[in-house]
Amino acid sequence: MNKYHIPENAIITVAGTVGVGKSTLTAALAERLGFKTSLEQVEHNPYLENFYHDFERWSFHLQVFFLAERFKEQKRIFEMGGGFVQDRSIYEDTGIFAKMHADQGTMSKMDFETYTSLFEAMVMTPYFPHPDVLIYLEGSLPSILNRIKERGREMEIQTDVSYWERMYERYSVWINEFEACPVLRLNIDDYDVQDPESMSGILKKVEEIIRRS
């Protein structure tokens, strides 16, 4: 047991829209807890650049790739007995990204049904530990758009702002309906990953949520 009295086998998932700071907070929390990290495979995704140039052609391929990688990570977390901070949840893949493309017609109904069947099959396996707490990062849309610009990924910068606006709106609805595990909501303007006191405050809240659940 660490000094925050968070179980050593706990699973903490950091969620939120693109550019909100999930990876940075994931690394900071894992370091303070002595936990392992489970990071989203962005740089090595063979579909990502093609996807940003042609949503309709590549959305299904991209989401299946992310789903497979996420499931492999879920299996690794299970086999290693927890003790992880996870960057983005598998629930976001299906509840936000795949559904958004299906709704706007950039993923066919048939492909979305296939994708959903794969997701449901994965959830039913024993290799699918639910998080002990989901930390949801939120902030104003202008702040998030500025972070996307500062991160400097050309394919994100060139994407029409309406795409990020739709995603932002969907996340706002999604988190209000999310019930798979306890949720801690954090505004990105209310903490600083470089400030030990700020990080301690977040971990104390995580400890309280896990103790109550």
Side-chain angles (χ1 to χ4, degrees), residues 55-64 93 97-113 115-116:
F55 290 160
E56 189 168 355
R57 180 175 180 184
W58 296 106
S59 63
F60 177 71
H61 301 76
L62 178 77
Q63 293 309 316
V64 168
D93 288 324
F97 294 90
K99 191 173 189 307
M100 183 170 77
H101 285 286
D103 289 347
Q104 69 187 22
T106 48
M107 182 185 293
S108 72
K109 181 180 178 182
M110 181 172 62
D111 283 348
F112 182 65
E113 289 175 353
Y115 174 88
T116 302

Side-chain angles (χ1 to χ4, degrees), residues 150-174:
E150 288 180 347
R151 183 158 66 180
R153 289 179 185 160
E154 197 62 30
M155 54 193 170
E156 293 178 349
I157 294 171
Q158 292 179 354
T159 298
D160 193 276
V161 69
S162 63
Y163 178 77
W164 306 121
E165 290 171 346
R166 290 194 299 272
M167 186 179 294
Y168 182 86
E169 291 168 1
R170 283 179 177 269
Y171 262 101
S172 299
V173 173
W174 174 81

Side-chain angles (χ1 to χ4, degrees), residues 15-31:
T17 191
V18 172
V20 79
K22 295 183 298 299
S23 299
T24 303
L25 183 62
T26 293
L29 294 177
E31 182 179 3

Side-chain angles (χ1 to χ4, degrees), residues 13 25 38-39 43 48 56 99 103 105 110 113 122 148 198:
T13 298
L25 183 62
S38 175
L39 301 174
E43 303 301 332
L48 197 58
E56 189 168 355
K99 191 173 189 307
D103 289 347
M110 181 172 62
E113 289 175 353
M122 290 177 179
I148 290 174
S198 183

Side-chain angles (χ1 to χ4, degrees), residues 11-14 26 38 70 74 77 84-88 131:
I11 301 169
I12 300 168
T13 298
V14 182
T26 293
S38 175
R70 199 88 61 200
Q74 292 288 136
I77 291 169
F84 273 82
V85 184
Q86 184 180 34
D87 172 10
R88 181 168 283 151

Side-chain angles (χ1 to χ4, degrees), residues 1-200:
M1 185 76 71
N2 46 67
K3 69 176 184 178
Y4 299 101
H5 304 289
I6 294 173
E8 293 179 358
N9 65 345
I11 301 169
I12 300 168
T13 298
V14 182
T17 191
V18 172
V20 79
K22 295 183 298 299
S23 299
T24 303
L25 183 62
T26 293
L29 294 177
E31 182 179 3
R32 293 186 69 82
L33 288 171
F35 277 22
K36 297 170 284 293
T37 58
S38 175
L39 301 174
E40 187 173 43
Q41 298 300 314
V42 173
E43 303 301 332
H44 303 292
N45 188 322
Y47 298 106
L48 197 58
E49 188 169 351
N50 288 333
F51 163 76
Y52 277 110
H53 286 102
D54 190 341
F55 290 160
E56 189 168 355
R57 180 175 180 184
W58 296 106
S59 63
F60 177 71
H61 301 76
L62 178 77
Q63 293 309 316
V64 168
F65 178 88
F66 271 132
L67 188 62
E69 291 298 305
R70 199 88 61 200
F71 181 69
K72 285 191 284 186
E73 281 296 287
Q74 292 288 136
K75 186 173 182 290
R76 182 169 77 97
I77 291 169
F78 173 83
E79 291 174 341
M80 296 186 73
F84 273 82
V85 184
Q86 184 180 34
D87 172 10
R88 181 168 283 151
S89 71
I90 199 168
Y91 309 106
E92 292 161 86
D93 288 324
T94 182
I96 299 288
F97 294 90
K99 191 173 189 307
M100 183 170 77
H101 285 286
D103 289 347
Q104 69 187 22
T106 48
M107 182 185 293
S108 72
K109 181 180 178 182
M110 181 172 62
D111 283 348
F112 182 65
E113 289 175 353
T114 299
Y115 174 88
T116 302
S117 294
L118 286 170
F119 171 77
E120 290 174 349
M122 290 177 179
V123 172
M124 295 302 291
T125 70
Y127 305 113
F128 198 89
H130 292 288
D132 292 280
V133 60
L134 182 138
I135 300 176
Y136 179 73
L137 302 184
E138 56 192 348
S140 70
L141 181 59
S143 293
I144 292 168
L145 291 175
N146 188 56
R147 287 188 177 208
I148 290 174
K149 183 177 180 180
E150 288 180 347
R151 183 158 66 180
R153 289 179 185 160
E154 197 62 30
M155 54 193 170
E156 293 178 349
I157 294 171
Q158 292 179 354
T159 298
D160 193 276
V161 69
S162 63
Y163 178 77
W164 306 121
E165 290 171 346
R166 290 194 299 272
M167 186 179 294
Y168 182 86
E169 291 168 1
R170 283 179 177 269
Y171 262 101
S172 299
V173 173
W174 174 81
I175 192 60
N176 287 328
E177 299 174 349
F178 183 79
E179 296 180 341
C181 70
V183 174
L184 169 61
R185 299 176 72 143
L186 292 179
N187 190 291
I188 57 176
D189 295 325
D190 292 343
Y191 67 87
D192 179 0
V193 295
Q194 303 300 326
D195 178 17
E197 186 175 341
S198 183
M199 290 297 96
S200 292

